[in-house]
Coordinates of all heavy atoms in Angstrom, one line a residue:
S20 N 38.3 5.3 -18.1 CA 38.1 3.8 -18.3 C 39.0 3.1 -17.3 O 38.6 2.1 -16.7 CB 38.5 3.4 -19.7 OG 38.5 2.0 -19.8
L29 N 37.8 -3.5 -7.3 CA 37.7 -3.3 -5.8 C 36.3 -3.7 -5.3 O 36.1 -4.0 -4.1 CB 38.0 -1.9 -5.4 CG 39.5 -1.4 -5.7 CD1 39.6 0.0 -5.4 CD2 40.4 -2.2 -4.7
N77 N -4.3 -25.8 -8.7 CA -3.7 -24.8 -9.4 C -3.1 -25.3 -10.8 O -3.0 -24.6 -11.7 CB -2.6 -24.1 -8.6 CG -3.1 -23.1 -7.6 OD1 -4.3 -22.7 -7.7 ND2 -2.3 -22.8 -6.6
I84 N -4.7 -21.8 -18.4 CA -3.9 -20.7 -18.9 C -3.3 -21.1 -20.2 O -3.3 -20.3 -21.2 CB -2.9 -20.3 -17.9 CG1 -3.5 -19.6 -16.7 CG2 -1.8 -19.4 -18.5 CD1 -2.6 -19.4 -15.5
L101 N 3.3 -17.0 -13.2 CA 4.1 -16.4 -12.1 C 3.1 -15.8 -11.0 O 3.3 -16.0 -9.8 CB 5.0 -15.4 -12.6 CG 6.3 -15.8 -13.2 CD1 7.0 -14.7 -13.9 CD2 7.2 -16.4 -12.1
N142 N 7.1 -10.5 -6.3 CA 8.0 -10.4 -5.2 C 8.9 -11.6 -5.1 O 8.4 -12.7 -5.2 CB 7.1 -10.3 -3.9 CG 6.1 -9.2 -4.0 OD1 6.4 -8.0 -4.3 ND2 4.9 -9.5 -3.7
K148 N 1.4 -11.4 4.9 CA 0.1 -11.9 4.4 C -0.8 -10.8 3.8 O -1.6 -11.0 2.9 CB -0.6 -12.7 5.5 CG 0.1 -13.9 6.0 CD -0.7 -14.6 7.1 CE 0.0 -15.9 7.5 NZ -0.7 -16.6 8.6
M160 N 2.3 11.6 -4.5 CA 3.3 12.2 -3.7 C 2.9 13.7 -3.4 O 3.1 14.1 -2.2 CB 4.6 12.2 -4.5 CG 5.8 12.7 -3.6 SD 7.4 12.6 -4.5 CE 7.5 10.8 -4.6
F188 N 2.1 -8.3 8.1 CA 2.1 -7.1 7.2 C 3.5 -6.8 6.6 O 4.5 -7.1 7.3 CB 1.7 -5.8 8.0 CG 0.3 -5.9 8.4 CD1 0.0 -6.2 9.7 CD2 -0.8 -5.6 7.6 CE1 -1.4 -6.2 10.2 CE2 -2.1 -5.6 8.0 CZ -2.4 -5.9 9.3
N201 N -8.1 10.2 -7.0 CA -8.4 9.9 -5.6 C -7.1 9.8 -4.8 O -7.1 9.0 -3.8 CB -9.2 8.6 -5.5 CG -10.7 8.8 -5.9 OD1 -11.0 9.9 -6.5 ND2 -11.5 7.8 -5.8
I205 N -3.4 3.4 -1.6 CA -2.5 2.2 -1.5 C -3.3 1.0 -2.1 O -4.5 1.1 -2.2 CB -2.2 1.9 -0.1 CG1 -3.4 1.4 0.8 CG2 -1.4 3.0 0.6 CD1 -3.1 0.9 2.2
G216 N -8.7 -17.5 -2.4 CA -9.3 -16.3 -1.8 C -8.5 -15.1 -2.0 O -8.7 -14.1 -1.3
M236 N -8.1 -2.8 11.1 CA -9.3 -3.5 10.6 C -8.8 -4.9 10.0 O -9.4 -5.9 10.3 CB -10.1 -2.7 9.6 CG -10.8 -1.5 10.2 SD -11.7 -0.5 8.9 CE -13.1 -1.6 8.6
L237 N -7.8 -4.8 9.2 CA -7.2 -6.0 8.6 C -6.7 -7.0 9.6 O -6.9 -8.2 9.6 CB -6.1 -5.7 7.6 CG -6.6 -4.9 6.3 CD1 -5.4 -4.4 5.5 CD2 -7.5 -5.8 5.4

Side-chain angles (χ1 to χ4, degrees):
S20 177
L29 292 172
N77 282 344
I84 290 170
L101 280 170
N142 306 308
K148 293 181 179 178
M160 188 177 293
F188 295 100
N201 288 4
I205 68 171
M236 292 176 72
L237 293 170

